[in-house]
Amino acid sequence: ELADGSGVLLDLQGHQVLSLNPSACLLTRQLFHNNVQAGAAAMELMANFDVSENEAHTDTEQFIQDTYARLFS
């Protein structure tokens, strides 16, 4: 994670670098480092960004699907 809140996710096996915006960094930290469930990560997204509960849950699920597809396809 970089000072401005953005970051990168490195996939050493697949030789990929994914750029992350601040909300993606938060979700990465919550889901992969803190091992929280998607619902709890969505609530953290709501607490830190101006998004509705529905949008936070939708964005979290989409982030999980997109990240999985990019790293494991």
Side-chain angles (χ1 to χ4, degrees):
E1 190 168 344
L2 304 173
D4 68 354
S6 66
V8 294
L9 186 60
L10 301 175
D11 174 12
L12 299 177
Q13 292 180 339
H15 306 287
Q16 295 185 64
V17 177
L18 304 177
S19 296
L20 303 174
N21 64 24
S23 60
C25 277
L26 181 139
L27 289 174
T28 299
R29 187 172 49 255
Q30 292 298 309
L31 295 166
F32 301 113
H33 297 290
N34 297 340
N35 296 315
V36 302
Q37 298 293 319
M43 298 305 282
E44 192 68 23
L45 193 61
M46 277 180 35
N48 287 275
F49 295 93
D50 186 25
V51 295
S52 68
E53 183 174 356
N54 185 52
E55 186 177 9
H57 285 281
T58 300
D59 289 353
T60 300
E61 290 300 327
Q62 190 65 52
F63 174 78
I64 292 167
Q65 291 175 12
D66 290 349
T67 303
Y68 184 86
R70 293 192 76 187
L71 294 176
F72 302 109
S73 61

